[in-house]
Amino acid sequence: MDGICTLANDRVYDQVIALLNSIEIILGKETPVCIYPYDNNTEKIAAEIAHRPQVQLYNDTISMERWDSFAKAAWDTHPTAREQWQKAGSPGYHRFGTHRRYCAFDGPFDRFIYMDADTLLMGPVADIFTKLNDNDCIVYDFQHKDITHVYNEASEQLTQVFSEERIKTEIFCSGFYASKKDLFDERKRQELIEYLKMGEAEILYPMAPDQTLINYMMMRSGYSIYNLALNLSPDQKTGCCVTSPHFESRDNLLYDKGNRLTYIHYIGMSSQIFKELCEGKNITFPYRDIFLYYRYYYETEKLPKFTTKPQSYNPKPNLTQRIVKKLGLNK
């Protein structure tokens, strides 16, 4: 069985509702969806999906504990992760819970597309599933233009572990990818931990723990990664991120130079922004109306009525730098 999955808790409630609605609208209400819980804070989500029989909240505690243990074991091998996390204000494991997306490799779907909660589906995905017949992982992004949010570029080991060609063509954003069940059994997981223990851990980028790990897992295992952004012709491929200002909106879908997007990723935007927006704060950001359309598709009467002056969304300085950097990723 094929399906769509995401990672969430109640902090991203509004984004999850918008994502679920976009999946139903684009693919149909029968499309199966699995939500992997970031933590135990999922009461609102559980109540919402009670009337969505095609959506399940993953409850396999053995699977979740297995991946919790794997993530801890992986990061315990890193020489500087703890120090970097403490400087960033994370006394324990940084963003612990993001790795729960890996439960999809145990989960209910034989083949799946993982989508971050801050994404919206914009187009059909049949071709992506078809390409899984010949590949282990299908991605569609431009992260390969910036490896610094995937691997430690300063590590001398990086090009010893992976060739420059593989680095240029195989790394991907962990916000959207398609793959298959059972790629990482106990033997494979332990093998990866042993590689990390032998010193390869230093190539991991600690501040994006789930992204660097899934890239390492896929690449170190030798699984085939097919990036549509590198394989589609220039007149076919599209961008995917909110940081691209040129997308055209038609009938609540986004187009890039005439081509319909597969998904839009509101990357770098805090969940608090979406929460405040849905509470009626007049915050503006790119493609806001698209988000509101899908968030309130079944509850148009609850669509926020803004009575105050628009306030532009202004990220924190360090986030601004990151988003500006990503502007070059979506041409």
Side-chain angles (χ1 to χ4, degrees):
M1 178 172 65
D2 297 341
I4 311 290
C5 53
T6 190
L7 173 80
N9 63 9
D10 286 349
R11 287 179 60 88
V12 294
Y13 175 80
D14 292 300
Q15 291 144 287
V16 169
I17 301 308
L19 173 59
L20 292 177
N21 289 347
S22 74
I23 293 169
E24 288 189 12
I25 295 163
I26 302 298
L27 301 183
K29 286 192 174 184
E30 71 285 353
T31 305
V33 178
C34 184
I35 301 174
Y36 297 102
Y38 181 93
D39 54 25
N40 294 325
N41 180 27
T42 55
E43 289 185 9
K44 288 176 64 178
I45 288 176
E48 166 61 30
I49 67 173
H51 65 273
R52 297 182 191 244
Q54 81 282 15
V55 182
Q56 63 176 292
L57 186 62
Y58 196 63
N59 61 3
D60 187 335
T61 56
I62 294 176
S63 170
M64 288 187 281
E65 288 171 1
R66 178 186 301 136
W67 286 108
D68 286 354
S69 297
F70 173 81
K72 289 178 180 178
W75 287 110
D76 285 346
T77 68
H78 197 280
T80 63
R82 291 282 185 168
E83 179 183 349
Q84 293 185 56
W85 293 342
Q86 287 176 357
K87 287 181 179 179
S90 297
Y93 295 92
H94 184 57
R95 292 171 57 188
F96 195 73
T98 56
H99 62 276
R100 290 272 183 90
R101 71 193 67 204
Y102 308 157
C103 290
F105 296 110
D106 303 337
F109 306 134
D110 299 309
R111 306 188 305 177
F112 63 86
I113 293 176
Y114 171 83
M115 302 181 67
D116 267 352
D118 60 348
T119 62
L120 295 174
L121 191 63
M122 290 280 103
V125 294
D127 286 350
I128 292 177
F129 281 116
T130 298
K131 283 182 171 55
L132 280 176
N133 293 335
D134 302 310
N135 299 274
D136 300 304
C137 184
I138 309 299
V139 301
Y140 195 177
D141 63 71
F142 299 82
Q143 191 67 53
H144 58 276
K145 293 186 178 182
D146 175 19
I147 75 168
T148 61
H149 284 76
V150 178
Y151 291 126
N152 173 16
E153 197 173 25
S155 170
E156 294 182 357
Q157 281 214 62
L158 181 56
T159 52
Q160 296 174 20
V161 178
F162 303 123
S163 69
E164 290 188 11
E165 179 61 25
R166 293 189 66 193
I167 294 169
K168 289 178 181 177
T169 59
E170 294 183 23
I171 69 169
F172 59 95
C173 172
S174 63
F176 182 98
Y177 56 90
S179 194
K180 308 170 184 178
K181 188 174 181 177
D182 296 331
L183 289 188
F184 299 99
D185 58 16
E186 176 62 30
R187 181 193 62 79
K188 178 62 69 177
R189 292 193 305 274
Q190 191 54 45
E191 182 181 77
L192 291 166
I193 295 298
E194 291 304 316
Y195 285 139
L196 293 171
K197 285 181 177 179
M198 289 190 293
E200 293 185 11
E202 75 167 48
I203 74 172
L204 301 182
Y205 173 64
M207 304 316 294
D210 67 274
Q211 180 159 282
T212 188
L213 262 186
I214 189 63
N215 272 266
Y216 178 81
M217 290 159 58
M218 283 288 181
M219 293 176 66
R220 196 63 175 89
S221 300
Y223 290 133
S224 56
I225 302 168
Y226 184 96
N227 191 340
L228 288 160
L230 289 171
N231 287 280
L232 289 175
S233 65
D235 63 343
Q236 288 180 307
K237 61 185 168 185
T238 73
C240 57
C241 291
V242 69
T243 48
S244 290
H246 63 278
F247 298 150
E248 178 189 359
S249 176
R250 299 204 305 261
D251 299 324
N252 297 295
L253 298 171
L254 291 173
Y255 292 80
D256 186 351
K257 299 173 183 175
N259 294 308
R260 184 172 165 184
L261 269 63
T262 299
Y263 69 103
I264 179 70
H265 193 177
Y266 292 86
I267 193 167
M269 293 188 59
S270 166
S271 60
Q272 186 65 22
I273 295 297
F274 293 93
K275 180 176 183 293
E276 292 178 0
L277 175 71
C278 293
E279 289 173 348
K281 189 173 181 178
N282 195 1
I283 306 172
T284 63
F285 53 83
Y287 315 116
R288 183 185 79 164
D289 290 346
I290 293 288
F291 170 78
L292 288 172
Y293 172 80
Y294 288 98
R295 168 61 182 87
Y296 293 100
Y297 184 80
Y298 296 114
E299 303 173 294
T300 53
E301 74 282 359
K302 293 183 180 180
L303 191 68
K305 295 177 175 61
F306 303 112
T307 58
T308 59
K309 184 178 178 181
Q311 177 182 337
S312 180
Y313 166 57
N314 292 310
K316 296 177 182 178
N318 63 332
L319 197 52
T320 301
Q321 294 167 7
R322 188 169 71 199
I323 291 176
V324 168
K325 193 167 190 177
K326 287 183 179 294
L327 281 172
L329 305 183
N330 308 301
K331 295 177 180 178

